[in-house]
Amino acid sequence: MTSATADGALAADREAVAEEWVRQFAEGWRTPVDADSFADHFDPLMTDDVRLIQPQMPTAVGRQAFREQFARPVFALIPDLHATVHTWAAQADAVLIEFTLSGTLGGRPVSWRCVDRVTLRDGLACERRAYFDPTPLLAAVATRPRVWPRFARLQAQQLGRRLRQGGQNR
């Protein structure tokens, strides 16, 4: 086998791994029942030391942090949150996934576009970096007073985590 053929086979293999990961991502976000079933779905798709980086939240490290610091707070705020994947692309060890998050906040619909850059190691996510403009979400919170107490509690919890981490949010 020539090196060009081997490189092509490796690229095709990586593409298949990425495609399967994106399929699982879309399935997990399609109609999650609650935070724990959502986290249960994603648990086998991540490394033990996965880093999750996103706007408005401290960096979470590890599967348990995904559950406690991401899934539970997000679904506490928007219990029917789900995503529609629009497109994706893979290059080397990274997958870019473009999708829309939608749900109900304070009795009214809310949605925003997002792009996740997922770095894969041996077919598992070892880092997820979310890119989105938080303005639609923050505007929705600001215009729904009945959500304010829940949002304030979540923000206080996040601040406490940041302080315990010593301000390390990179």
Side-chain angles (χ1 to χ4, degrees):
M1 184 183 290
T2 68
S3 78
T5 305
D7 289 347
L10 182 58
D13 209 26
R14 274 192 252 170
E15 181 81 11
V17 167
E19 184 174 13
E20 175 58 19
W21 203 93
V22 172
R23 189 186 71 71
Q24 289 289 333
F25 175 92
E27 183 180 310
W29 270 111
R30 189 169 294 116
T31 54
V33 174
D34 57 28
D36 286 323
S37 64
F38 176 79
D40 289 346
H41 175 86
F42 279 93
D43 192 62
L45 303 176
M46 300 180 294
T47 62
D48 292 336
D49 62 343
V50 64
R51 289 178 47 83
L52 304 149
I53 305 157
Q54 58 276 322
Q56 303 299 306
M57 297 177 87
T59 297
V61 178
R63 292 175 176 158
Q64 191 61 28
F66 172 73
R67 182 180 301 272
E68 299 295 331
Q69 296 174 30
F70 177 76
R72 287 187 178 155
V74 166
F75 284 93
L77 193 62
I78 307 171
D80 63 342
L81 188 65
H82 60 279
T84 302
V85 173
H86 303 295
T87 189
W88 67 275
Q91 182 177 15
D93 63 348
V95 180
L96 294 169
I97 308 168
E98 181 184 356
F99 56 101
T100 299
L101 289 165
S102 304
T104 307
L105 178 67
R108 296 195 328 237
V110 62
S111 68
W112 65 100
R113 299 282 287 212
C114 191
V115 173
D116 276 6
R117 182 185 189 280
V118 181
T119 303
L120 299 176
R121 182 185 335 131
D122 299 325
L124 301 176
C126 61
E127 181 175 280
R128 191 273 284 137
R129 189 175 293 263
Y131 297 93
F132 65 89
D133 177 3
T135 305
L137 179 58
L138 296 174
V141 169
T143 60
R144 293 163 172 92
R146 72 185 211 194
V147 174
W148 294 351
R150 188 173 358 146
F151 184 74
R153 277 192 307 278
L154 293 172
Q155 290 299 303
Q157 290 170 353
Q158 298 298 348
L159 177 59
R161 285 189 183 100
R162 284 184 183 132
L163 293 173
R164 285 190 297 279
Q165 290 176 353
Q168 297 172 359
N169 189 23
R170 292 180 217 6

